[in-house]
Each structure stands twice: as structure tokens, then as C-alpha cells.
Amino acid sequence: MARGGRGGMRVAAGGCWPSPLQEELLRAALLPGEAAVKAWEHWSAAVDLDELGLDLGSYRLLPLLYRNLSACGVTGGPLERLKGIYRLTWSKNHLLLRRIAPVLRALREAGIQPLVLKGAALAALAYRDVGARPMDDVDLLVRDQELPAALDVLREAGWHPVLDDPPEQRLVHQHSLAFIDNGGHADIDLHAHALWYTCWPGADDGFFAAAIPLALGEEPVLALCPADQLLHVCTHGIVWNPLPPIRWVADAMAVIRGAEETLDWERLSRQVERLGLALPVREALRYLAERFEAPIPAGVLTRLEALPVTRLARLEYWLKLRPKTLPRAYVLAWFRYTRRTGPPRWGRWLRDLPSFLQSYWRLSSPRQVPGHALAKLMRRVARVRGAVSRGRVLY
């Protein structure tokens, strides 16, 4: 079901915007008192928790649902099932934090204090409950100049990237890279940059300058300040994903509620303007205000609406809301490249394209680009012909 929005930007559920049924679940997990109970009754009447048909995006909200319904005085059989899911999440999160503690200690001993992003920071500072927010890994952002040393620490601690390419080369075109330990646990996502959109040198300096202290277990780390945390949640959440990332709504509401009196809305506006993130942040905040009555000052939305947005920024945002395809991946990678090198000019575009493709495809020379491109095209044509011959259609 498509959602409205200025310029038709919001797209069908299955991406980042919750479906009507998912909105009912979010209301049951977020709203107080009778409003939560009523939403729970509507949602539970349409969903069987004993079946396996619940989408994973919704399943990740069940621990928070249990906590909110318990606070509202709801009892009964289904709540016991939710209680078990909450306890399982609590246990898994504690085990995860225990596994990465030696890495945090090794980073500290190397003089590196990482900034913790997403789940681990949100659970501690916004939800204030390690069982309410499931997380698959711990995301660690390090400063630009500390990245080589951080990679060395991970290697010495027995961690290696899940992909075979050298991480230094891979992180040229990715903002983060997953690492796995010798036991097969993919528990650390090392970030060279906080966000996909902002991958140029110095882009994260403002995040570190305003960071606040946090302790994961006994290890001191950093976390985003509330305004930057809200910016990160909104920007990270507004992107198409086959696993609907609808928990960005819960994360954002938790940040707003947890820091309502201290959240610096003026800083949020400045950061959005500085980083060129007007579209994703204003769409996310408008959605929260319209659907969940988030206490967002009207002046904030007015200021974000007034920020200029280029056609290229609109195209980039439009692509981020669409399912992943190979051409889309190339175009988005090019946008990331131009964000590092400056606004594209057509003369430089033609000059830089071979160098960009060499780096993106990890080739040793720009001269290899034409042959590699032709080989990729031929493999793609062969795949399509094979699919057509088998009566299948590729998208």
C-alpha cells in the first residue's frame, strides 16, 4: 500500500514506511494506556503469534511490545509468549555485549575510543532497557585517522571481515564493514563513516565533537548526542530494505521521549543542513508527527521544508527508497563518490568515471575498466537468457 508524501516520495510497504498493520503494532508498542490496549486488540486479532507468518520487521518489535503492554496492565496467554521473547532478547543482547568487550578493551588500550551507533547505544540511552531493543551486532564508528589502527586491533584480536577483499579497499566505497570472530559470530560492524550519505573526510567530526560518554559493560565508549542520534535514526531508517526497517519509528520515538527536554532541535536543523540530509530527515519527522503525534516543534519542520534540495539529491533519495538492483547500486555508489569529491561537473564526470569504476570494482588499473565492464555485461545477458529459457523473469 503506497503512502502519500510530497512529490510522491513515500513508497510501498516492504521498504521503510510501515503498513497499516505494522502501524497498529507500533501504536501498541509505543502509545500509553488505553490507546496501546486498543491498538493491541486490533493487531492481535489480525495476527497469530503461534504462526510463522509474522514479518521479521514486526517480530523485532515484540520485546518492546511486551514492555509497554505490561506497563499498561495487560495480562493473558499471549503476553506470556511476548515475555519469553523479551527474555530471549535480553539474554542475547547481554551475550553479544560480553563477546565484544575484549575488542572494546583492546581499542581502549590502543588509544581508540569508538563511538557506538544504533542498537547498543539506543538500548542504553533511549530505551534504558537492554531487553527492549534487539540487535544483531554492535556498530562502532572510529575517527578517520584511527581507522588503520582499529583494523589492526581487530585483526590481532582474531576478527576478520566477512568479505574477502582487503577492508581498507572495501571501506573506500562502503560506510561500514561487518567483522566475524573465530567462533563464527558476526558481531561487529566497523564504521568508517556514520552514514551511507556522508562518506567524505571529516563528515563525522561533528558527531565526535558533541558525543556523550557511555559505558558498555565496564568499557567506556562514546555515543551520539540526542540530536545527532535522532538524525542518525531517521536517515538510517529511511531506506528500502527487504526486511522492513520499521523499528526506526520506535527508535526515533524513544530518542525524542527520552531526551525531550534536552534535545537540541536547533543543532538537529544545523546538522541536517550541513550534511545535506533534508529529504530523509524531514520526511521521517513529518511522518512521526502525523502518525504518532511526536512532540516535534513546528518551527523545526518549517525550517527543514525551507532548505534547498537539488535535483541530484532528490534522485539519490528516490533511489534509496526503491528495491535494490544492479544499476541502482552503481548509481548510488557514484553518488557516494561525488559526495566525497564534490558536486559533479560533466567534464570532470567523464574524466573521473574510469577511476571511480576502477576503485569500485577493485581493479589494478583504469585500463581494465572497459574489459571488466564488457565481461559483467555479458554475464548479465547470459543470466537473463537463462532465466527466460527457464520461464523465469529477473528484476
Side-chain angles (χ1 to χ4, degrees), residues 309-350:
V309 179
T310 66
R311 291 182 178 179
L312 285 175
R314 291 184 182 276
L315 175 59
E316 181 182 29
Y317 179 65
W318 184 86
L319 288 168
K320 291 289 284 182
L321 293 180
R322 264 63 192 175
K324 294 179 179 179
T325 62
L326 190 61
R328 171 184 177 273
Y330 288 157
V331 175
L332 287 174
W334 173 251
F335 274 120
R336 191 180 317 189
Y337 175 81
T338 59
R339 280 178 174 268
R340 292 204 318 274
T341 58
R345 296 181 178 88
W346 294 114
R348 199 193 70 203
W349 188 92
L350 293 173

Side-chain angles (χ1 to χ4, degrees), residues 26-27 29-32 64 67-68 125-126 128 230 249-263 265 292-295:
L26 283 161
R27 291 189 182 95
L30 293 171
L31 299 183
L64 181 62
R67 190 180 74 166
N68 197 46
L125 297 174
R128 297 169 187 169
L230 181 58
V249 176
D251 289 346
M253 292 296 292
V255 172
I256 293 171
R257 289 172 173 172
E260 186 173 353
E261 296 182 358
T262 59
L263 202 156
W265 292 101
F292 294 92
E293 299 181 0

Side-chain angles (χ1 to χ4, degrees), residues 172-191:
V172 170
H173 291 291
Q174 291 183 201
H175 71 294
S176 67
L177 188 60
F179 280 76
I180 191 169
D181 67 7
N182 292 329
H185 301 109
D187 291 339
I188 293 178
D189 201 9
L190 184 66
H191 284 249

Side-chain angles (χ1 to χ4, degrees), residues 101 103-105 107-109 112-116 140 212-223:
V103 176
L104 296 177
R105 190 176 309 115
L107 288 170
R108 174 171 53 81
E109 292 171 352
I112 300 171
Q113 189 175 26
L115 196 157
V116 178
L140 304 176
I212 59 178
L214 171 66
L216 287 187
E218 298 180 356
E219 294 302 323
V221 292
L222 298 173

Side-chain angles (χ1 to χ4, degrees), residues 122-160:
L122 288 164
L125 297 174
Y127 292 98
R128 297 169 187 169
D129 181 350
V130 75
R133 211 289 191 175
M135 47 187 168
D136 299 319
D137 52 25
V138 174
D139 295 77
L140 304 176
L141 171 68
V142 298
R143 293 175 174 85
D144 292 340
Q145 64 272 23
E146 294 175 341
L147 182 60
L151 291 170
D152 290 339
V153 168
L154 286 174
R155 292 187 186 101
E156 292 172 5
W159 292 74
H160 53 89

Side-chain angles (χ1 to χ4, degrees), residues 43-57:
W43 183 80
S44 60
V47 175
D48 188 348
L49 287 176
D50 292 326
E51 297 293 333
L52 298 178
L54 187 64
D55 68 273
L56 186 54

